[in-house]
Amino acid sequence: MKKNKVSFYWAFKEFIWPRKKIVFLGIILIVLRSLAGLVLPYASKNLIDDVIPAQDVNALTTLLIIVCVAILIQAVSSFSLTRLLSVEAQHLISLLRAKVQKKLLTLPISFFDNNKSGALVSRVMTDVEGVRNLVGTGLVQLVGGSFTAVISLVILIKINALMTFFVLVPVSIFAIIALKAFGYIRPIFRARGKINAEVTGRLTETLNGVRVIKGFNAEEQENETFEKGVERLFLNVKKSLTATALITSSSTFLLGLASAGIMGIGGYFIMNNSMTYGEFISFTLFLGFMIAPIVQMSNIGSQLTEAMAGLDRTQELMNMPEEDNSELRTKKLDSIKGDMLFKNVSFSYEENKEVLHDISFEAPSGSVTALVGSSGSGKSTIAGLAATFLNPTKGKVTIDGIDISEVNLSSFRSQLGVVLQDDFLYEGTIRENILFPRPNSSEEELLKAVNGAYVNEFTDRFEEGLDTVIGERGVKLSGGQRQRISIARALLANPKIIILDEATSNLDTESESYIQKSLQGLMQDRTTFVIAHRLSTIIKADQILVIEEGNIVELGKHDELISKKGRYFDLYTYQSRI
């Protein structure tokens, strides 16, 4: 994929222009602050050249009042500026995070298969943070600083054009160095976002798999992996710090030279009586007002460069094609019977590496289709195609005669239920997890699903019952208990199509007997696809597909396949012996 490089014009149109009123008010405040700041240098000249020699106490009082009012205006405008823009910047960050997360959930399953969850978390939470420098005080300070510098420059030329020209030479050299440095830094910041996401992703995986790590005494190798990631991050930061240090040190050197030159030239002019003490003091102060924003702008420039690098990565994500393409998926399903047909379906995860080859079969409404075969044969891929998690490379899958690739995914999945081998449970209560597909269900509907999946068999023993907190990913429950919650969730969803991927694989004998009863209720009048290693669980299936190396090698009912004494017979008799 071609890397995006976000332009400032795009960022301006997307983030700044919609908030033009707030930004404009911010600019007015910073101009007001800048103008108030210029009162002190003017007052200094009048104090030294006019008020003190004349020993005019009234003029001194007036001067002090003017300076104090200017300082008050500076303080109030600074507070208002920070309060107004910083709050709006944080609001924008929250909106952008929500927008990126919303976009993430529209992307296909294959995207999540190829990206670490921790890395994606970093893209949602960290990459967008730099945008505060666009709408926050950063950009406005850049505008305000430029305004202050230009006004100061005009006044400096008016006081002494020769001294001003001498100052502009090192300032111009500094500006060129800074611009070059920012161009060098932006790709570094972009790479930092990627490295940071990878390190965060690995750390998230480590914390999620802590039991496996401890079980295999693998703490040392995890530490080494994380340390290497942190080292990469350090080297990246080191690069950017070098460029930033170059900007800072060049500003110190060049602007220091300018100050030394001003001392010499100013001293010469004063000794020749072509410049007053007040003018020299005033020139020096105005010079500070011109140089300070330029140095400040170099820091803001670094922040804006980092912000643009983060937006590069955010925009790259936002431009990815969505799973539910409204232009291609135009057909909405109000209700379905559940007749599903696979017609000459082939599928590849990678180009020229087919994992399914010309698969054809029909799953009539209300039927149970079992998929069996050795590991890696293609069973889960067929289930993924039925669930629209994957799209066929060739051929088509239809639902009630409609090509599923043309169907609006939301309308289809609202009538789909899935129970996976390692089903996902939220950290929360059992009640919240069962209500997940339909949060507004009545208590009666909830209890019907709970009883149907025999969840009450173990929740009745818990002090908090259905309000028991189960821990992250249901860690406080047994595999069988987690699976029954997943089945209760599917029962509550009341779908027309069910995908059961190893739904009884984690269960002990007692739990399995409960689940077999609940599954009979779940599969009643619903088109069901069952992936099962335990062949005893699918004896009553309407059809059994034996999948090997991406092909259907046998198809039929249990008794038919046993009588054929083929691959299914081998698998079944082998398991029976075990």
Side-chain angles (χ1 to χ4, degrees), residues 376-394:
S377 59
K379 305 185 299 296
S380 293
T381 302
I382 292 174
L385 289 163
T388 64
F389 294 158
L390 305 171
N391 297 310
T393 309
K394 296 176 189 171

Side-chain angles (χ1 to χ4, degrees), residues 327-537:
E327 292 179 8
L328 300 176
R329 295 184 172 275
T330 54
K331 296 176 182 174
K332 290 195 175 183
L333 304 174
D334 295 323
S335 61
I336 60 173
K337 282 172 57 186
D339 289 320
M340 192 165 273
L341 173 71
F342 279 62
K343 189 174 181 181
N344 307 118
V345 171
S346 297
F347 180 80
S348 306
Y349 288 102
E350 297 175 42
E351 201 172 341
N352 301 322
K353 289 185 180 179
E354 274 191 2
V355 292
L356 290 183
H357 315 290
D358 204 32
I359 295 282
S360 295
F361 69 91
E362 187 176 358
S365 173
S367 67
V368 177
T369 300
L371 306 169
V372 303
S374 52
S375 182
S377 59
K379 305 185 299 296
S380 293
T381 302
I382 292 174
L385 289 163
T388 64
F389 294 158
L390 305 171
N391 297 310
T393 309
K394 296 176 189 171
K396 65 180 180 179
V397 180
T398 65
I399 180 73
D400 296 344
I402 302 168
D403 188 343
I404 215 164
S405 67
E406 299 173 4
V407 170
N408 173 272
L409 286 178
S410 181
S411 69
F412 174 75
R413 288 179 184 166
S414 66
Q415 303 178 72
L416 173 73
V418 291
V419 180
L420 304 175
Q421 181 177 359
D422 184 21
D423 219 337
F424 177 78
L425 298 179
Y426 277 102
E427 182 178 12
T429 65
I430 294 171
R431 179 189 300 275
E432 288 167 345
N433 274 282
I434 296 173
L435 285 172
F436 178 69
R438 295 195 175 174
N440 298 321
S441 299
S442 66
E443 187 72 12
E444 185 184 345
E445 289 169 325
L446 171 68
L447 293 176
K448 187 178 177 183
V450 165
N451 294 331
Y454 296 90
V455 171
N456 59 316
E457 184 272 328
F458 62 87
T459 55
D460 288 348
R461 301 196 300 268
F462 295 162
E463 191 176 330
E464 300 292 328
L466 289 174
D467 295 310
T468 302
V469 176
I470 62 174
E472 189 176 6
R473 297 185 67 86
V475 72
K476 295 178 182 177
L477 300 175
S478 70
Q481 289 169 339
R482 288 198 297 270
Q483 206 69 293
R484 275 185 266 177
I485 290 172
S486 299
I487 291 172
R489 188 160 64 186
L491 278 167
L492 186 70
N494 193 27
K496 286 296 293 181
I497 295 174
I498 296 281
I499 310 289
L500 302 174
D501 188 350
E502 301 293 348
T504 59
S505 63
N506 290 330
L507 307 183
D508 54 71
T509 307
E510 185 182 1
S511 292
E512 187 178 349
S513 67
Y514 282 121
I515 294 300
Q516 288 301 333
K517 293 176 193 173
S518 64
L519 286 178
Q520 293 307 313
L522 179 61
M523 294 187 290
Q524 191 73 37
D525 299 324
R526 295 182 174 103
T527 307
T528 307
F529 292 86
V530 184
I531 301 175
H533 277 249
R534 294 189 186 185
L535 302 186
S536 58
T537 62

Side-chain angles (χ1 to χ4, degrees), residues 93-103 124:
I93 289 170
S94 67
L95 291 176
L96 197 52
R97 279 176 179 154
K99 190 176 179 182
V100 175
Q101 189 266 355
K102 186 178 179 181
K103 174 68 180 185
V124 173

Side-chain angles (χ1 to χ4, degrees), residues 15 24 67 84 86 97 144 179 221 240 266 306 319 351 374 406 473 526 532 542:
F15 303 115
F24 184 65
V67 170
L84 178 77
S86 296
R97 279 176 179 154
L179 286 173
Q221 66 191 53
S240 64
E306 187 171 7
N319 284 338
E351 201 172 341
S374 52
E406 299 173 4
R473 297 185 67 86
R526 295 182 174 103
D542 295 298

Side-chain angles (χ1 to χ4, degrees), residues 122-141:
S122 176
R123 296 188 77 161
V124 173
M125 298 304 292
T126 307
D127 283 355
V128 303
E129 280 194 351
V131 80
R132 69 177 178 272
N133 293 312
L134 287 177
V135 176
T137 52
L139 183 66
V140 173
Q141 281 175 345

Side-chain angles (χ1 to χ4, degrees), residues 195 199 225-236:
I195 297 166
V199 173
T225 303
F226 187 71
E227 282 167 12
K228 284 177 185 173
V230 172
E231 177 72 12
R232 283 174 62 213
L233 197 57
F234 160 70
L235 293 173
N236 177 279

